[in-house]
Amino acid sequence: MSLENMIYFNQVNFSYGSHQVLYDLSFSVDRGEFICLTGKSGCGKSTLLRLINGLLDRQDGDIRILGKKIGQWEIHELRRKMGYVLQEGALFPHLTAYQNMCYVMKLNKASSQQCENRISELLPLVNLERDVLNKFPDKLSGGQRQRVGIVRAIAHNPEMVLMDEPFSALDSHTRKSLQDLVKNIHQKLNTTFVMVTHDKEEANLLATRVIRMAEGQIKTLI
Ligand SMILES: Nc1ncnc2c1ncn2[C@@H]1O[C@H](COP(=O)(O)OP(=O)(O)OP(=O)(O)O)[C@@H](O)[C@H]1O
């Protein structure tokens, strides 16, 4: 492990009140890796993701993101270096597909022209037609919503993309095509991915490294 890792955890403990969830957890992620985090329900996978993006405060141990101690990051700055894909896309319902896609780019002060160019570049990568752009999320299929969510996560060129069970609500055909799509995006953009999944096949297909968690610790690195 080195302090230059994209993500570095050293002997991290975390509890919700009196319920300890992570025990002395140490691991690191290098640039360009695709990590799949697996493990039984309740073992602490989502908690780990929330510690990476600063949504939760560690109570003990050392966490560094992009080489900088987590406590030294301005939290909004840290989050804008990341992209997120959650179950069902978790799109903003009051924004169109296009506005959702540009959301973080706008926060990063991109111009309208830069947004337009970037979205035009990414649409073919996620197999979306332009006619979805003006639709609101409730008028999109589950697969389309997740494709919009993926564009939103990568449009601002994040340092890393965090995904929490992104495909679990999709039918198997749509799930398969989105897995292929994410694999292709990882290879093309060489972005670092950390994805929580229950699905071992999915983990083996996508990951450059599978991490299995149990009882709040890392048990196996494959
Ligand atoms: N906000 C919270 N307050 C209190 N306890 C929580 C909270 N969030 C999670 N927990 C508990 O912490 C433990 C780990 O939860 P976490 O969501 O990290 O697990 P997980 O491995 O992601 O589970 P799943 O696969 O079911 O999503 C569980 O026992 C859960 O009940």
Side-chain angles (χ1 to χ4, degrees):
M1 268 195 333
S2 122
L3 299 181
E4 301 310 315
N5 297 126
M6 295 286 286
I7 300 171
Y8 169 92
F9 274 53
N10 191 24
Q11 298 190 305
V12 173
N13 290 292
F14 182 82
S15 308
Y16 293 102
S18 60
H19 177 194
Q20 186 158 0
V21 177
L22 301 182
Y23 294 85
D24 258 350
L25 187 139
S26 302
F27 84 116
S28 62
V29 178
D30 285 331
R31 188 172 293 277
E33 283 197 281
F34 197 128
I35 300 292
C36 281
L37 271 179
T38 64
K40 284 195 185 140
S41 183
C43 70
K45 304 179 296 294
S46 303
T47 301
L48 185 56
L49 278 195
R50 284 187 228 126
L51 284 164
I52 295 172
N53 76 6
L55 204 64
L56 294 172
D57 274 336
R58 92 214 181 296
Q59 287 130 357
D60 193 12
D62 189 5
I63 300 182
R64 294 170 196 234
I65 307 294
L66 298 165
K68 187 158 140 184
K69 281 180 184 268
I70 191 109
Q72 290 171 351
W73 278 101
E74 199 279 302
I75 211 68
H76 296 293
E77 187 198 353
L78 174 65
R79 297 217 181 117
R80 285 175 205 168
K81 294 198 176 291
M82 299 181 177
Y84 305 97
V85 185
L86 305 171
Q87 243 184 56
E88 303 242 30
L91 302 177
F92 300 115
H94 59 291
L95 300 181
T96 63
Y98 182 76
Q99 289 165 334
N100 266 286
M101 289 174 181
C102 298
Y103 187 80
V104 192
M105 288 190 76
K106 289 275 182 199
L107 290 179
N108 285 348
K109 311 253 183 294
S111 68
S112 299
Q113 191 60 53
Q114 285 169 323
C115 291
E116 173 58 38
N117 293 347
R118 179 71 172 149
I119 302 311
S120 298
E121 182 185 313
L122 291 176
L123 282 181
L125 204 61
V126 295
N127 296 323
L128 276 177
E129 302 292 336
R130 291 196 76 86
D131 65 355
V132 303
L133 292 179
N134 288 325
K135 292 188 179 167
F136 286 90
D138 65 347
K139 298 287 180 291
L140 301 175
S141 70
Q144 287 172 327
R145 276 200 288 276
Q146 211 43 305
R147 288 175 158 82
V148 172
I150 290 169
V151 173
R152 184 179 62 183
I154 61 175
H156 58 297
N157 266 321
E159 297 276 355
M160 66 185 82
V161 179
L162 307 181
M163 305 173 108
D164 199 348
E165 293 280 358
F167 310 137
S168 56
L170 302 172
D171 64 76
S172 61
H173 175 72
T174 310
R175 185 175 183 131
K176 177 79 186 77
S177 69
L178 281 170
Q179 288 167 346
D180 292 341
L181 185 152
V182 165
K183 193 173 172 78
N184 184 29
I185 289 174
H186 174 246
Q187 284 164 352
K188 281 212 168 107
L189 305 185
N190 199 32
T191 308
T192 308
F193 281 79
V194 181
M195 172 171 159
V196 170
T197 176
H198 278 104
D199 182 339
K200 281 194 188 136
E201 237 176 83
E202 180 167 276
N204 290 333
L205 174 78
L206 293 175
T208 54
R209 196 151 57 104
V210 179
I211 295 182
R212 188 176 70 84
M213 287 180 69
E215 291 114 30
Q217 291 185 319
I218 306 284
K219 292 292 181 190
T220 331
L221 301 176
I222 302 168

